[in-house]
Amino acid sequence: MTMAEQTLLEAFNAAPYPVTGNSKWNVNQLLEAFQSVDGERDSDVYGTGRIIEEFQAKIAAYLGKPSAVFFPSGTMAQQIALRIWSDGAGNKKVAYHPLCHLEIHEQNGIRELHQLEPVLLADKSRTIGLADIQQLEEKVSCILLELPQREIGGTLLPFSELESISAYCRERGIKLHLDGARLFEVLPYYKRTAAEICQLFDSVYVSFYKGIGGIAGAILAGDESFTTESKIWKRRHGGDLISLYPYIISSDYYFEQRLPKMEQYYLAAVELAELYNNCQHIETKPQVPVSNMFHVHAAVPKEKLEQMFKAIYAETGVGLTRYIREVDESNSYYEVSLGDRYLNLPKGKVREALELLDMRLAELKQ
């Protein structure tokens, strides 16, 4: 296969020094998590059993919530959370960001399955602030905040503004839900515990396959009445599989392995973003990351950047990204999310790749 025939993903997977993620997405993820598991350990059965109940209690305590439920997916968990708060208020309107996962990645599930009516807050270029909520003209049952706001590079509100939003919502009886798919990743920036952040919210969702690197799975946490109702909806959604233990065991294993490394991942992102911003025609969003992720924007068309990257991968062995997305005819971008791979890379190789990128970009623009 020639370089021209090779996809960027194929070139990335062939690179001996991949930059992003924790590991390859393959069966070894599960095998590693199971290597020290007692084969006689009982599985969970339709949401019950020690293996699921102990993990739920462990994460509930970590998040500072009375109760938690394990779900096979965050999509299911978050739709259910908003449905519960909507039913409780007798109000179908819920508010969230225009680039919220529920709005752009779930095939209209919130509307088609639950008949909820989203109200979009702020614009696509920035996070939701207190002023956006104060200016709401419609009464809503619940507001969803995503920390960090992934689709705009992983930006965050100041913690003091989160506190103000929480107080404002509680004074007015508006439920506040946290899309914490990457909550663990922002703890080093906020310098707060997960429980300190979660106490500002009525319900919380966290993911175990993003920065944690499990194979799948999510937790939805809140008070006892909320999680009891969420179990009913979980059954209605088909989320009570006969057993979920492969997801639970991998979630628990990688939670223990990677939670202590979140500050290292965050500092690595700050380091790498600075190297990117030294390249011509490149900028990161945010300029200084607030978690282990950021977006790289290039004033180069997608196809040209892909060809350039494949050549850089071949020459240096460093895989910078597995995909590039088009912004418009002249601009493109991709997401960087750092984990174990970057920590284990020879840093000289990374600098070599980005110096070569800077040189190729300069040549391209001459």
Side-chain angles (χ1 to χ4, degrees):
M1 181 186 298
T2 66
M3 186 182 299
E5 295 171 326
Q6 190 180 40
T7 67
L8 187 64
L9 177 59
E10 289 169 338
F12 176 87
N13 286 337
Y17 302 111
V19 169
T20 59
N22 286 303
S23 64
K24 278 190 175 181
W25 284 90
N26 57 27
V27 176
N28 281 325
Q29 284 180 282
L30 194 56
L31 293 177
E32 180 182 337
F34 270 76
Q35 63 186 348
S36 60
V37 174
D38 181 359
E40 295 300 315
R41 188 177 180 185
D42 290 338
S43 70
D44 56 304
V45 180
Y46 291 123
T48 63
R50 285 183 61 185
I51 195 167
I52 188 169
E53 291 163 6
E54 289 177 353
F55 184 66
Q56 289 171 163
K58 172 181 176 176
I59 302 302
Y62 180 77
L63 299 176
K65 293 297 181 187
S67 183
V69 180
F70 189 85
F71 280 80
S73 81
T75 296
M76 184 187 298
Q78 295 211 103
Q79 288 185 19
I80 286 170
L82 298 195
R83 176 61 185 266
I84 291 170
W85 295 136
S86 172
D87 285 353
N91 180 352
K92 292 288 188 181
K93 292 184 178 179
V94 297
Y96 50 59
H97 194 272
L99 296 178
C100 173
H101 194 280
L102 286 89
E103 186 68 13
I104 65 173
H105 290 305
E106 298 180 15
Q107 299 295 316
N108 240 4
I110 201 73
R111 297 174 178 87
E112 296 294 334
L113 297 178
H114 297 283
Q115 293 76 53
L116 298 186
E117 301 171 30
V119 176
L120 304 183
L121 290 177
D123 61 51
K124 293 181 178 181
S125 66
R126 61 177 178 83
T127 54
I128 295 170
L130 177 61
D132 298 301
I133 296 170
Q134 291 172 328
Q135 292 164 17
L136 261 173
E137 296 179 357
E138 303 173 81
K139 187 174 182 179
V140 298
S141 58
C142 178
I143 294 171
L144 178 152
L145 296 182
E146 180 184 357
L147 304 178
Q149 193 73 49
R150 182 220 180 159
E151 297 291 341
I152 51 176
T155 55
L156 285 172
L157 288 172
F159 190 75
S160 59
E161 188 158 9
L162 281 182
E163 292 177 309
S164 298
I165 289 172
S166 177
Y168 182 88
C169 289
R170 284 179 177 162
E171 287 169 5
R172 287 155 182 79
I174 302 169
K175 297 298 184 182
L176 193 60
H177 172 74
L178 171 58
D179 178 343
R182 295 167 177 80
L183 172 65
F184 306 125
E185 291 89 317
V186 304
L187 301 181
Y189 177 79
Y190 275 142
K191 300 188 185 305
R192 298 290 199 286
T193 66
E196 286 172 325
I197 295 172
C198 292
Q199 71 177 346
L200 304 177
F201 295 83
D202 298 288
S203 56
V204 177
Y205 143 69
V206 291
S207 170
F208 289 94
Y209 80 85
K210 305 234 170 25
I212 294 297
I215 59 169
I219 279 280
L220 186 61
D223 63 29
E224 292 282 357
S225 61
F226 171 81
T227 56
T228 297
E229 193 169 352
S230 79
K231 290 179 182 179
I232 296 170
W233 278 106
K234 181 184 174 187
R235 177 64 58 91
R236 289 169 175 163
H237 270 251
D240 261 339
L241 309 187
I242 177 63
S243 57
L244 289 164
Y245 70 87
Y247 309 111
I248 296 163
I249 288 173
S250 72
S251 294
D252 196 15
Y253 175 80
Y254 288 112
F255 178 77
E256 292 295 331
Q257 292 286 313
R258 294 188 174 128
L259 187 68
K261 299 180 184 178
M262 288 299 167
E263 185 164 11
Q264 291 176 267
Y265 300 156
Y266 160 57
L267 295 175
V270 173
E271 173 186 271
L272 182 59
E274 184 177 2
L275 293 176
Y276 267 117
N277 284 313
N278 288 333
C279 295
Q280 299 174 64
H281 314 297
I282 289 277
E283 65 172 343
T284 68
K285 295 184 180 180
Q287 183 177 29
V288 180
V290 294
S291 72
N292 69 324
M293 69 160 288
F294 57 89
H295 287 185
V296 177
H297 285 254
V300 181
K302 174 180 179 289
E303 292 75 15
K304 284 189 177 180
L305 195 62
E306 284 179 339
Q307 294 305 314
M308 184 185 301
F309 273 32
K310 285 192 287 184
I312 290 171
Y313 296 1
E315 188 168 337
T316 67
V318 176
L320 296 172
T321 182
R322 68 183 69 210
Y323 73 89
I324 296 170
R325 291 177 180 159
E326 181 178 87
V327 175
D328 54 39
E329 291 182 356
S330 303
N331 299 277
S332 54
Y333 84 100
Y334 57 92
E335 183 177 290
V336 171
S337 182
L338 299 185
D340 288 346
R341 280 172 158 175
Y342 186 82
L343 297 186
N344 296 325
L345 273 179
K347 295 305 179 286
K349 294 296 295 183
V350 178
R351 291 188 182 88
E352 177 190 349
L354 289 177
E355 287 170 1
L356 184 56
L357 173 62
D358 182 38
M359 186 173 67
R360 295 286 164 80
L361 287 168
E363 293 169 355
L364 187 65
K365 293 293 182 175
Q366 286 177 356

